[in-house]
Amino acid sequence: MAEKKTVPAENQQAAPAAPVKDAGGLRAEIEKLLLEKEDISIIRLVDALVQYANLARASDIHIDPDAKRLRVRFRIDGVMHDEFEFLKDIQSEVITRIKVVSGLRTDEHQAAQDGRFRMQVEGMGDIDVRVSIAPTYYGENCVMRVLAGQSESFAVETLGLSQSNLKKVLQAIGRPYGMILVTGPTGSGKTTTLYSILRRLNTPEVSIITIEGPIEYSIAGIDQIPVHKDTNLTFAAGLRFILRQDPDVIMVGEIRDEETANIAVNAAMTGHLLLSTLHTNDAATTLPRLLDMKIEPFLIASTMNIAINQRLVRKICPDCRKEKKIGDLELSNIKEIVSEEILQGRQSFYVGEGCDLCGGSGYRGRIGIHEVLEVSEEIRKLIMQRADADQIKQASVRGGMRTILEDGFEKALQGITTIEEVLRVSRE
């Protein structure tokens, strides 16, 4: 049997979909399609599912098989929601349709496959979808990451940075060389922060090259290179190659090993502005983490501009927000972790009651909470002494850094998010 030829994932584009309906209309259409046990339009079902997810502000669509059904769940504002149940009978057809538009092999059922496609919808614009399909005990599953259209604009000012943190970030990206590292757990918005910084730096006078795995959004004027395991194009190998391309600004998707870390630090040392991400729980741990990767202290002290640690919190729905006074015991517990300077004597915070616009959750959308560590002279001396994260954090706080918990409580006091959200994500 001849091997099926596939089109490169980045070139995939689904046929133009039907004009967009409202979210309620799309949900009703999906439910009606699922009732048509015979002659069901799989093409329209998949199209409507992606369109509905986009209108519902879902970041991911999970199609999970079990013994008797396909469970469809959406991740909305970071939280999973059950949405639909598909008949087990259409599992193969649904997965095959997604494979076709993503340029994946339809005759391969025992290996994981990744792809992407773009859907054009009248009235909605382009919807970019990243696809991951894997074999499970009950057959192939599918996770689709629903990305905003290519026209979406990223701006540093919309990330949720406080005025003092925004000033630090703008000063750091205004320097001609050095490292800017964004840290936090998976799903904390690190990539969005990097893209926002790249957008600001992206001018005709500057050469920007990235090595990413995978490329989430394409940005005009920037050369973006995807990592590729089959050709041994790793972050480290791609970074070496990029240095021969005469860049001014380099973005590396993630520093995950000693080799990549060494090349990145040396690139920053030789006159490049280097952006990347690192998995650490707070900003202060970034510097000892680089020491663990065998980077010499003087190199870290010489090249680090700032470390940004962040999380994403759900925003209170503005249409059902109300003020709520908390009890004395709860206030006493809060005072143990947040200073009186932040609380300002307040005992009233805000919650969302739940309404149709937020699906009854009381939340709509997400925003970042941050701590931004500037590498001052005192921090440089601590790095040279191989100080631990606690010592670096204490020095940073003395120098004016607000912790991520404090930044979150400031947003709770402003009515942007809730205390519960801040405590939930700050413990991740």
Side-chain angles (χ1 to χ4, degrees):
M1 183 185 208
E3 181 179 324
K4 175 185 176 290
K5 290 185 177 181
T6 61
V7 179
E10 63 270 18
N11 295 332
Q12 289 301 314
Q13 182 162 297
V20 66
K21 302 179 179 180
D22 60 26
L26 281 166
R27 185 178 185 90
E29 181 180 356
I30 293 169
E31 290 171 344
K32 182 179 178 182
L33 284 167
L34 293 175
L35 294 174
E36 298 175 3
K37 297 182 181 180
E38 296 181 7
D39 299 325
I40 181 172
S41 172
I42 299 297
I43 292 174
R44 182 57 197 150
L45 178 63
V46 171
D47 286 353
L49 187 65
V50 173
Q51 291 176 46
Y52 176 59
N54 190 50
L55 286 179
R57 299 178 296 102
S59 60
D60 301 87
I61 305 168
H62 289 243
I63 303 176
D64 300 318
D66 61 23
K68 297 181 179 179
R69 60 176 183 167
L70 280 180
R71 185 165 61 139
V72 178
R73 297 182 294 164
F74 290 175
R75 186 179 295 280
I76 302 173
D77 295 335
V79 178
M80 296 292 284
H81 298 265
D82 284 326
E83 292 290 340
F84 303 102
E85 284 189 9
F86 290 6
L87 291 173
K88 183 75 173 178
D89 298 350
I90 65 172
Q91 176 179 351
S92 175
E93 294 176 83
V94 169
I95 298 298
T96 297
R97 171 59 186 168
I98 295 169
K99 284 182 177 180
V100 167
V101 295
S102 305
L104 304 179
R105 288 188 55 171
T106 57
D107 59 345
E108 175 59 75
H109 305 288
Q110 302 304 318
Q113 297 190 71
D114 294 316
R116 64 191 303 154
F117 65 89
R118 178 179 297 176
M119 180 183 292
Q120 294 179 335
V121 186
E122 184 181 331
M124 189 182 289
D126 292 344
I127 304 173
D128 291 286
V129 182
R130 200 173 75 217
V131 175
S132 177
I133 294 174
T136 72
Y137 185 79
Y138 291 110
E140 291 175 292
N141 78 345
C142 179
V143 177
M144 293 186 280
R145 169 66 56 89
V146 182
L147 303 169
Q150 301 294 311
S151 60
E152 176 170 326
S153 61
F154 296 95
V156 177
E157 292 81 3
T158 63
L159 296 174
L161 291 158
S162 66
Q163 286 301 311
S164 60
N165 283 340
L166 178 61
K167 183 179 178 181
K168 293 175 186 177
V169 171
L170 293 179
Q171 286 175 344
I173 66 179
R175 293 171 186 160
Y177 64 90
M179 284 201 301
I180 297 172
L181 296 183
V182 184
T183 73
T186 300
S188 59
K190 298 187 296 295
T191 302
T192 298
T193 297
L194 288 180
Y195 275 117
S196 299
I197 294 172
L198 288 178
R199 285 268 190 191
R200 191 174 188 91
L201 293 169
N202 188 17
T203 63
E205 299 81 22
V206 177
S207 170
I208 303 176
I209 306 180
T210 74
I211 175 77
E212 306 173 54
I215 296 170
E216 297 247 350
Y217 301 95
S218 65
I219 303 177
I222 294 177
D223 292 323
Q224 297 172 267
I225 303 169
V227 295
H228 204 294
K229 292 179 182 178
D230 294 343
T231 59
N232 202 32
L233 182 56
T234 61
F235 283 120
L239 186 48
R240 278 200 202 90
F241 172 77
I242 285 173
L243 289 172
R244 298 194 292 270
Q245 292 273 308
D246 187 33
D248 298 301
V249 179
I250 301 168
M251 194 267 269
V252 182
E254 183 182 351
I255 295 176
R256 59 176 66 164
D257 54 54
E258 293 178 14
E259 186 181 12
T260 307
N262 271 286
I263 302 169
V265 169
N266 279 288
M269 192 76 179
T270 55
H272 303 90
L273 185 62
L274 187 129
L275 317 176
S276 192
T277 67
L278 201 64
H279 283 279
T280 63
N281 290 327
D282 60 18
T285 307
T286 305
L287 307 174
R289 179 79 181 97
L290 292 172
L291 288 172
D292 291 342
M293 291 181 167
K294 306 294 191 300
I295 306 299
E296 291 295 330
F298 78 91
L299 287 174
I300 300 172
S302 301
T303 58
M304 276 296 302
N305 290 348
I306 55 169
I308 306 167
N309 185 255
Q310 65 181 61
R311 303 288 189 278
L312 290 175
V313 293
R314 290 181 291 174
K315 295 194 294 185
I316 299 172
C317 174
D319 290 276
C320 61
R321 185 180 70 174
K322 71 169 187 176
E323 197 167 353
K324 176 186 176 184
K325 187 175 182 180
I326 61 174
D328 293 336
L329 179 59
E330 189 176 357
L331 181 63
S332 177
N333 291 334
I334 290 171
K335 285 181 177 179
E336 292 180 6
I337 57 176
V338 181
S339 70
E340 185 61 39
E341 181 189 354
I342 299 292
L343 293 175
Q344 300 172 354
R346 290 272 298 277
Q347 196 167 343
S348 292
F349 291 82
Y350 296 86
V351 296
E353 290 186 305
C355 63
D356 291 340
L357 289 173
C358 63
S361 69
Y363 296 100
R364 199 160 88 229
R366 289 192 291 175
I367 194 170
I369 58 175
H370 310 84
E371 59 185 27
V372 179
L373 186 155
E374 281 188 301
V375 181
S376 62
E377 282 305 314
E378 184 180 3
I379 300 298
R380 288 191 178 93
K381 289 176 183 177
L382 289 172
I383 295 169
M384 296 300 291
Q385 296 165 11
R386 294 181 178 270
D388 62 27
D390 285 340
Q391 292 172 294
I392 292 171
K393 184 171 186 176
Q394 290 169 14
S396 299
V397 170
R398 286 196 303 272
M401 183 185 82
R402 285 283 173 89
T403 67
I404 202 163
L405 193 62
E406 291 172 336
D407 189 53
F409 267 88
E410 284 188 344
K411 288 181 170 64
L413 284 164
Q414 294 165 17
I416 297 171
T417 188
T418 62
I419 299 172
E420 292 79 11
E421 266 297 284
V422 173
L423 294 175
R424 178 180 71 86
V425 303
S426 62
R427 290 170 181 152
E428 288 181 352

